Amino acid sequence: MTETARDPRVDWRSLEAPHTYVYTGPMSTAGERINRFALSLKSPSNRTSFLADSAAYQAVHGLTEQESDLVQRRDWSGLLEAGGHLQAILKIAATLGESLWHIGAHCAQMSVAGMKSACPRRVDGLPSRGA
């Protein structure tokens, strides 16, 4: 992966695509199949079915060929562009053993290690209950 996020020519504060996708009503409508599919993965039995045969599970949820391709390639930024809601997409990532770090790194076109090193606040886990 490239270190595009550190490119000084890119205004990463911009709220215009491709830097940020403002989740709008039309995006929600466009991403309805993706989001329903993704949120179905809250159920352990659905996660098991998806991992056993992802193509069949996606077909049951009516994903288009393009949407299924985005899921298969773990194209997190493509799923966001297609109307996927970040928290729904995170369900897919978690089912596949990935995290929000992976989604963020993919969207910033950098490695997960690069993303973590660029984060000003170190997060290594959950705080202890006594803290």
Side-chain angles (χ1 to χ4, degrees), residues 55-124:
Y57 189 79
Q58 290 171 72
V60 166
H61 283 84
L63 266 62
T64 67
E65 190 174 314
Q66 180 185 10
E67 291 165 343
S68 289
D69 181 59
L70 293 170
V71 173
Q72 293 302 321
R73 289 187 295 113
R74 300 178 189 189
D75 184 348
W76 309 125
S77 55
L79 286 162
L80 289 168
E81 256 184 279
H85 188 278
L86 177 59
Q87 291 192 346
I89 293 169
L90 185 53
K91 302 282 187 242
I92 302 168
T95 299
L96 295 169
E98 296 194 3
S99 69
L100 189 56
W101 286 112
H102 292 85
I103 296 170
H106 183 270
C107 292
Q109 299 177 346
M110 60 192 323
S111 67
V112 173
M115 175 64 81
K116 286 182 177 182
S117 70
C119 184
R121 182 171 157 234
R122 301 290 174 239
V123 180
D124 294 323

Side-chain angles (χ1 to χ4, degrees), residues 34-54:
I34 293 169
N35 293 322
R36 287 188 186 276
F37 154 73
L39 293 173
S40 76
L41 297 173
K42 291 190 289 186
S43 162
S45 62
N46 289 345
R47 290 193 298 270
T48 300
S49 296
F50 171 65
L51 292 171
D53 188 348
S54 62

